[in-house]
Amino acid sequence: MSTNALVVPAELVGNLRDGLHAALSFAAEEVTSVIFEPERSLEMYREPLARFDRVRALLDVIGWDREPDPAEARFDLREHLHATLDALEKEIDVASDRVKEAATVDAERAKRGEPPKREETIRRVLALREFAATVRAYVDSLEVPRR
């Protein structure tokens, strides 16, 4: 593996995958929006299709399906930089929203006699943010231009 290898801890691989699926959805929506442009051109498709391809390529590397016992994932960060950052941003947004909703969700869970999930959700958001900061620091050390 190259010196540009990023190691995604096993406990965060599923989160990265979820973020990639969300990023894939956003890219597909961008492609769809071009379809409805009256004066669409190939140039209008270039960036949305490139984004879609970048995300798809990283899903090909780490796997498309959720694994029962995920292992850590390793890939070349230079090759998959933009898809990684996009996926982490999307997954952090989703997880942060879940923290905001946690009080209501935990009240409902308590009524059903289920344990609260708020602390687990907060830990997940913190782990994702810490990992994203690590990725950004790694990117800065590689002097890779960001988009």
Side-chain angles (χ1 to χ4, degrees):
M1 186 64 54
S2 76
T3 59
N4 301 320
L6 176 68
V7 178
V8 181
E11 63 273 10
L12 294 179
V13 170
N15 297 115
L16 179 61
R17 184 178 293 114
D18 289 346
L20 286 166
H21 282 284
L24 194 65
S25 173
F26 277 85
E29 288 175 15
E30 290 175 355
V31 170
T32 301
S33 71
V34 173
I35 291 169
F36 297 107
E37 289 293 325
E39 297 182 29
R40 65 184 169 268
S41 66
L42 174 59
E43 193 57 38
M44 294 170 73
Y45 281 104
R46 286 195 198 284
E47 184 52 34
L49 287 172
R51 184 174 293 114
F52 188 93
D53 288 343
R54 287 190 298 264
V55 171
R56 181 202 42 77
L58 185 49
L59 279 166
D60 286 346
V61 171
I62 71 166
W64 287 74
D65 301 325
R66 188 167 285 282
E67 301 165 7
D69 296 317
E72 69 182 22
R74 291 176 181 264
F75 54 85
D76 187 318
L77 184 59
R78 284 184 190 255
E79 183 177 343
H80 299 289
L81 170 65
H82 301 295
T84 301
L85 292 174
D86 194 19
L88 287 171
E89 177 184 306
K90 300 237 180 324
E91 190 61 12
I92 288 169
D93 287 346
V94 168
S96 297
D97 287 344
R98 288 190 180 138
V99 168
K100 293 173 189 171
E101 299 166 355
T104 304
V105 171
D106 279 353
E108 292 299 316
R109 291 179 63 80
K111 289 178 188 176
R112 295 188 305 263
E114 298 173 358
K117 292 247 180 180
R118 185 171 190 275
E119 293 302 318
E120 178 184 322
T121 304
I122 290 171
R123 280 193 298 276
R124 178 176 164 226
V125 171
L126 292 175
L128 283 166
R129 286 184 177 163
E130 183 177 318
F131 183 67
T134 300
V135 170
R136 286 185 195 102
Y138 191 32
V139 168
D140 291 343
S141 74
L142 295 174
E143 298 179 3
V144 176
R146 294 190 213 175
R147 286 189 187 195

